[in-house]
Structures are given as structure tokens and as C-alpha cells.
Amino acid sequence: MNADATPAPTPASTPAPSPTSGTKRGDTRTKLLEGALRTLTEQGIARTSARTIATAAGVNQALVFYHFGSVDELLGAACHHGAEQRVSRYRDRLAAVTSLAELLAFGREMHAEERAAGQVAVLGQMLAGAQTQPRLAEAARRGLQLWIDEIEQVLARVLTGSPIADLTDTPGLARAVAASFVGLELYEGVDQEGAGHALDALEQLAVLASVLDELGPLAQRAVRRRLRHTGRN
């Protein structure tokens, strides 16, 4: 990030903006959060600074430090704010998913919507920035964790009773699914056709899972024994 990302002195030692009502303070914070998300989406982490965020938010640059203390703190709050909004948008639809095939099909639809909205790009930029700015790592993790928690709930529900559940670590699978969709956002930027093939492959795995679920009790027991034996090797 640019040099002006360095934290300014705390409000106690810096002339603070004139006191405003709680509503106005909340409005300014929201503008800064939205401005940070827009800057990450449109300019990337490398060009994100107090100046570019303030410009996008339409406020004075000093307000970045007054409300958040540093650019990194603002970016962390913005990442969580954006993920919280997007997860909330899909919560009811995720709750209605009844199979792994439905989850992956919905994930593909959601991926297109999130790419258009720029939120997956925000997580991707934060993860990229965390490679050289360790302070951003925790913020990116918390933003991604909101998605993981929702996906894990769905997986736990749809895999109950499936032979796959005997071999699958549901929390780990939830992380793999969430990470894959963030990674596909970055991959799609350089190979859109390849990203499409990757999504197709995920859906083919869902078809396989569906076939296993439709097996009779004896066949399912045989599959479970084989999977458990494979898992021990």
C-alpha cells in the first residue's frame, strides 16, 4: 500500500474534526467502509490508501484515522462489513439447499453474482495483500470465515446419512469450497474458460455424490466399508 497508509497520531493528539451527532458519525463510518470496498474492487490492494479511500467515500482523508486509527484497521472492518452484507443476502437461499448438487449449482450462480458485485474480488485482494502485510491476514480470515460458517452448516445438513460423510471432514470441506470460489475469482481473470471447466468439474463431483446417495442399503454399506478402508491407508 502507499506511504499514506501509515497510521496518523491518535485523535487525542491530533485536532479532531468537529464533534457530530452519533448518526453523522455512523454515516461517515459507513461511507468509509463502502469507499474502502469500492477502492479495493476498482484499484486493487496496491493502490489502496487513505487518500484513495477518502476520495471514493467523498470525505476528508483525516477521517480515515479519526474513525479507524489506520488504513489496515479500516480495510479489516470493510472486509468484514462487506462479507457480512453478502452472506446475509444469501442466508435464506442457503438454508433451502437440500443436496450437495444444489449447493454447488447455487455456488456457481452466487459466484457470478458476487463477481459482478465485486465482493469476491475484495476477499481476493485482501488475501493477496496479506502475503506482504501480515496485519491484513486476520482481517481476510475473518471475512472468509463468515462464508465458511454458512457453507459448513449446509454441508453438515446435506451430507447427513451419505456415505461421503464417513470420509469427509466437513469443516475442512467447507474451507476448501470457500477457498476455491475465491481462487476461481482470481483464476477467471486470466482464464475464463478454464475457470468454467473447474466449476463444471465440481458439479460432476456432486453428480457422483447423488448417485452414491441413491444406492440401496447394502450397496451403501459396501461403499462405506471401502471408503473407511481407503481412509485408513
Side-chain angles (χ1 to χ4, degrees):
M1 284 179 292
N2 296 346
D4 58 354
T6 303
T10 61
S13 60
T14 301
S18 301
T20 58
S21 68
T23 299
K24 288 184 178 179
R25 283 198 296 272
D27 289 346
T28 300
R29 285 180 63 87
T30 300
K31 286 181 180 178
L32 287 167
L33 292 170
E34 297 294 340
L37 291 172
R38 192 158 56 251
T39 303
L40 282 170
T41 302
E42 296 174 357
Q43 301 192 44
I45 191 71
R47 294 186 179 181
T48 295
S49 66
R51 183 181 300 111
T52 56
I53 292 172
T55 299
V59 300
N60 188 291
Q61 181 177 327
L63 292 172
V64 169
F65 305 107
Y66 179 72
H67 285 282
F68 294 95
S70 71
V71 172
D72 285 350
E73 289 295 323
L74 169 54
L75 290 178
C79 183
H80 191 273
H81 171 74
E84 208 166 36
Q85 286 187 319
R86 304 309 296 179
V87 168
S88 178
R89 172 186 175 90
Y90 298 112
R91 187 165 285 126
D92 288 346
R93 291 163 69 185
L94 284 168
V97 169
T98 60
S99 70
L100 183 59
E102 281 185 33
L103 174 61
L104 291 174
F106 171 64
R108 188 166 195 160
E109 176 187 339
M110 185 170 60
H111 171 73
E113 292 182 17
E114 289 302 284
R115 179 175 174 80
Q119 180 55 30
V120 180
V122 168
L123 285 170
Q125 287 296 322
M126 289 291 287
L127 289 167
Q131 307 307 307
T132 54
Q133 297 285 338
R135 288 178 294 181
L136 297 179
E138 177 61 16
R141 188 196 67 77
R142 286 190 290 112
L144 194 56
Q145 188 65 44
L146 292 174
W147 288 106
I148 290 170
D149 290 343
E150 293 295 322
I151 294 169
E152 185 175 343
Q153 289 181 43
V154 179
L155 287 172
R157 186 176 70 253
V158 304
L159 292 179
T160 298
S162 168
I164 296 176
D166 293 343
L167 189 65
T168 300
D169 169 34
T170 302
L173 181 58
R175 283 165 173 77
V177 171
S180 69
F181 277 97
V182 175
L184 281 170
E185 164 73 18
L186 303 177
Y187 182 38
E188 196 168 29
V190 297
D191 184 1
Q192 188 170 2
E193 183 178 355
H197 289 323
L199 289 167
D200 290 341
L202 288 174
E203 290 184 355
Q204 288 162 6
L205 288 176
V207 172
L208 174 60
S210 178
V211 170
L212 290 175
D213 289 342
E214 292 171 1
L215 294 175
L218 290 175
Q220 284 205 4
R221 280 199 293 272
V223 170
R224 284 189 170 92
R225 283 196 299 271
R226 180 59 179 169
L227 289 175
R228 280 195 286 267
H229 176 73
T230 302
R232 287 194 294 268
N233 293 338

Short mmCIF file of all heavy atoms in Angstrom, two decimals, residues 28 31-32 53-64:
data_model
loop_
_atom_site.label_atom_id
_atom_site.label_comp_id
_atom_site.label_asym_id
_atom_site.label_seq_id
_atom_site.Cartn_x
_atom_site.Cartn_y
_atom_site.Cartn_z
N THR A 28 -20.57 8.60 8.41
CA THR A 28 -19.20 8.75 7.93
C THR A 28 -18.47 7.40 7.94
O THR A 28 -17.76 7.06 6.99
CB THR A 28 -18.42 9.76 8.80
OG1 THR A 28 -19.09 11.03 8.75
CG2 THR A 28 -17.00 9.92 8.30
N LYS A 31 -19.69 5.42 5.03
CA LYS A 31 -19.10 5.93 3.79
C LYS A 31 -17.67 5.43 3.61
O LYS A 31 -17.25 5.05 2.51
CB LYS A 31 -19.12 7.46 3.79
CG LYS A 31 -20.49 8.08 3.55
CD LYS A 31 -20.37 9.59 3.56
CE LYS A 31 -21.73 10.25 3.33
NZ LYS A 31 -21.63 11.74 3.38
N LEU A 32 -16.91 5.41 4.70
CA LEU A 32 -15.53 4.96 4.63
C LEU A 32 -15.45 3.46 4.36
O LEU A 32 -14.61 2.99 3.58
CB LEU A 32 -14.79 5.30 5.93
CG LEU A 32 -14.46 6.78 6.12
CD1 LEU A 32 -14.03 7.06 7.55
CD2 LEU A 32 -13.34 7.21 5.15
N ILE A 53 -9.17 5.95 -0.60
CA ILE A 53 -10.41 5.58 0.09
C ILE A 53 -11.25 6.82 0.39
O ILE A 53 -12.46 6.83 0.18
CB ILE A 53 -10.10 4.81 1.40
CG1 ILE A 53 -9.48 3.45 1.07
CG2 ILE A 53 -11.37 4.63 2.23
CD1 ILE A 53 -8.96 2.71 2.29
N ALA A 54 -10.60 7.86 0.92
CA ALA A 54 -11.32 9.08 1.25
C ALA A 54 -11.95 9.69 0.00
O ALA A 54 -13.08 10.20 0.05
CB ALA A 54 -10.38 10.08 1.92
N THR A 55 -11.24 9.64 -1.11
CA THR A 55 -11.79 10.17 -2.37
C THR A 55 -13.02 9.38 -2.78
O THR A 55 -14.05 9.95 -3.16
CB THR A 55 -10.73 10.10 -3.48
OG1 THR A 55 -9.60 10.91 -3.11
CG2 THR A 55 -11.29 10.60 -4.80
N ALA A 56 -12.94 8.05 -2.68
CA ALA A 56 -14.08 7.22 -3.05
C ALA A 56 -15.27 7.45 -2.12
O ALA A 56 -16.43 7.39 -2.53
CB ALA A 56 -13.68 5.75 -3.02
N ALA A 57 -14.97 7.73 -0.84
CA ALA A 57 -16.03 7.95 0.15
C ALA A 57 -16.58 9.36 0.12
O ALA A 57 -17.65 9.62 0.67
CB ALA A 57 -15.50 7.63 1.55
N GLY A 58 -15.82 10.28 -0.50
CA GLY A 58 -16.24 11.67 -0.54
C GLY A 58 -16.10 12.38 0.79
O GLY A 58 -16.92 13.24 1.14
N VAL A 59 -15.06 12.02 1.56
CA VAL A 59 -14.84 12.64 2.86
C VAL A 59 -13.38 13.08 2.97
O VAL A 59 -12.55 12.75 2.12
CB VAL A 59 -15.18 11.67 4.01
CG1 VAL A 59 -16.64 11.23 3.94
CG2 VAL A 59 -14.25 10.46 4.01
N ASN A 60 -13.07 13.79 4.07
CA ASN A 60 -11.71 14.25 4.32
C ASN A 60 -10.82 13.07 4.69
O ASN A 60 -11.23 12.18 5.45
CB ASN A 60 -11.72 15.28 5.46
CG ASN A 60 -10.37 15.95 5.63
OD1 ASN A 60 -9.40 15.32 6.05
ND2 ASN A 60 -10.31 17.24 5.32
N GLN A 61 -9.59 13.05 4.19
CA GLN A 61 -8.66 11.95 4.45
C GLN A 61 -8.41 11.74 5.94
O GLN A 61 -8.24 10.60 6.40
CB GLN A 61 -7.33 12.24 3.74
CG GLN A 61 -6.28 11.16 3.89
CD GLN A 61 -5.02 11.47 3.10
OE1 GLN A 61 -5.09 12.08 2.04
NE2 GLN A 61 -3.87 11.07 3.62
N ALA A 62 -8.41 12.81 6.73
CA ALA A 62 -8.14 12.69 8.17
C ALA A 62 -9.17 11.82 8.88
O ALA A 62 -8.89 11.23 9.93
CB ALA A 62 -8.12 14.08 8.81
N LEU A 63 -10.37 11.72 8.29
CA LEU A 63 -11.43 10.94 8.93
C LEU A 63 -11.14 9.44 8.92
O LEU A 63 -11.69 8.70 9.74
CB LEU A 63 -12.77 11.23 8.26
CG LEU A 63 -13.31 12.65 8.48
CD1 LEU A 63 -14.54 12.89 7.61
CD2 LEU A 63 -13.64 12.86 9.94
N VAL A 64 -10.28 9.00 7.99
CA VAL A 64 -9.88 7.59 7.99
C VAL A 64 -9.23 7.26 9.33
O VAL A 64 -9.57 6.26 9.99
CB VAL A 64 -8.89 7.30 6.84
CG1 VAL A 64 -8.26 5.91 6.99
CG2 VAL A 64 -9.58 7.43 5.49
#
